Amino acid sequence: ALPSEYKDHVRIAVIGGTGIQDLPGFTKVASLDIDTPWGKPSSPITILHHQCSVSGKDVPVAFLSRHGTHHQIAPHEVPNRANIAALRSVGVRTVIAFSAVGSLQEAIKPRDFVVPDQIIDRTKGVRPFTFFEGGVVAHVPFGDPFDENVAKVVRACGHSLEGEGVVLHDRGTLVCMEGPQFSTRAESNMYRSFGGSVINMSALPESKLAREAELAYQMICMSTDYDCWHESTADVTVEMVMGNMKANAVNARRFVGAVLDALALDSNAETVNAKHLEGGVKFGISTPQT
Ligand code: ADE
């Protein structure tokens, strides 16, 4: 169970993707086995204790491993509704989501980080993608799929680590494909012609469900390969993705630490509490309310 001093204080969550199954270096204070109306999340939600290295303030952080504790859940099998509902149920309002991505642009090199600001949906509709169905109709705005307030904090943190080897691209269009197979070369080139910057299999419906749950959500992408369009590098393989993730783990950890430090500052409390998103769903429901 969640120790009483943490109840109603967990506002920030980190969702770890491929290569980030846990967050070493943080003290674990609880592991919550949560059940939701949409089933169980990908992994227990661990509550970690983070001490802000700037203010000294103690901040609890929820951590969820998207592909399971042992990377046993394929992208199309991730229980996204349970994940988002479970995080929301412990009080989370802001989600920092990590993802390994393929690069669709020469300038985004393997091991670079990207803070995407747009998404192109290339999933195939096989993943449950909304909380609203069975009699409740809602349409939430999604023109900007990520939270710009959180993005600003994340970008500043990434740039503060430039001297330590973090290369950050401030914006980008993320193509989210169905998978689990990688793209064909023709598809990869089509995504480039769409203006895609990077490609993954995990941004959707996670980000849509976060919006429906009124959570501030920002993905941090870590480039691991040039997919299969690049003429002078080998086509993407799992080995390539894992190898670059592993090589970049220290930077990813530094990046998370810096983001959590920044989000713990009082000056960012409003961003973290996602006050600006409150009521978004209430006004999006088009079913007559009695
Ligand atoms: N994740 C990491 N690399 C990828 C790629 N090339 N395509 C889709 N998802 C990825």
Side-chain angles (χ1 to χ4, degrees):
L2 191 61
S4 57
E5 69 266 34
Y6 293 99
K7 277 216 169 83
D8 300 321
H9 291 289
V10 186
R11 290 284 174 268
I12 303 166
V14 174
I15 299 182
T18 298
I20 308 189
Q21 267 101 266
D22 54 15
L23 279 187
F26 293 86
T27 316
K28 197 200 279 189
V29 295
S31 175
L32 308 175
D33 190 12
I34 296 175
D35 217 345
T36 78
W38 298 275
K40 279 188 178 293
S42 296
S43 74
I45 291 183
T46 48
I47 306 297
L48 307 168
H49 178 267
H50 173 69
Q51 188 174 36
C52 175
S53 70
V54 186
S55 66
K57 206 168 115 183
D58 291 333
V59 219
V61 175
F63 179 82
L64 175 70
S65 176
R66 185 187 291 118
H67 299 293
T69 314
H70 312 288
H71 205 281
Q72 75 278 25
I73 305 172
H76 63 284
E77 296 173 326
V78 172
N80 286 290
R81 292 189 295 188
N83 288 352
I84 295 298
L87 291 175
R88 171 95 204 191
S89 77
V90 298
V92 165
R93 290 291 180 275
T94 287
V95 177
I96 303 293
F98 276 84
S99 174
V101 296
S103 168
L104 298 171
Q105 300 293 335
E106 184 79 50
I108 301 170
K109 300 191 168 55
R111 303 188 194 177
D112 286 4
F113 290 86
V114 181
V115 180
D117 59 342
Q118 279 300 326
I119 304 178
I120 293 174
D121 189 352
R122 286 283 300 171
T123 62
K124 300 288 168 67
V126 298
R127 311 172 180 196
F129 46 76
T130 180
F131 288 113
F132 299 105
E133 55 188 6
V136 183
V137 181
H139 304 280
V140 294
F142 204 55
D144 289 304
F146 298 107
D147 191 84
E148 188 59 23
N149 294 346
V150 177
K152 279 191 187 118
V153 175
V154 170
R155 288 181 193 123
C157 291
H159 289 304
S160 76
L161 296 171
E162 263 162 8
E164 295 171 58
V166 168
V167 178
L168 180 73
H169 302 265
D170 275 343
R171 293 185 181 276
T173 295
L174 169 61
V175 176
C176 183
M177 61 173 294
E178 184 58 53
Q181 303 84 358
F182 290 118
S183 308
T184 65
R185 219 175 307 286
E187 286 165 342
S188 194
N189 280 312
M190 178 178 71
Y191 299 146
R192 279 165 52 72
S193 78
F194 284 179
S197 314
V198 288
I199 182 163
N200 77 355
M201 304 175 190
S202 293
L204 296 170
E206 195 173 85
S207 52
K208 289 187 173 176
L209 294 165
R211 180 63 52 86
E212 287 188 345
E214 298 181 356
L215 303 180
Y217 177 97
Q218 180 62 51
M219 186 161 257
I220 300 179
C221 297
M222 286 165 293
S223 165
T224 54
D225 53 83
Y226 275 121
D227 200 38
C228 61
W229 62 271
H230 199 285
E231 285 173 4
S232 57
T233 57
D235 290 357
V236 57
T237 61
V238 167
E239 199 184 354
M240 206 184 274
V241 172
M242 291 306 202
N244 277 319
M245 277 302 309
K246 218 167 173 186
N248 223 12
V250 173
N251 277 337
R253 227 167 281 155
R254 277 200 199 110
F255 203 160
V256 185
V259 169
L260 295 178
D261 273 352
L263 293 177
L265 298 177
D266 287 339
S267 54
N268 282 325
E270 228 169 278
T271 294
V272 167
N273 289 328
K275 285 273 176 246
H276 57 296
L277 292 171
E278 254 175 45
V281 168
K282 187 162 81 186
F283 301 113
I285 293 179
S286 57
T287 314
Q289 293 172 57
T290 48

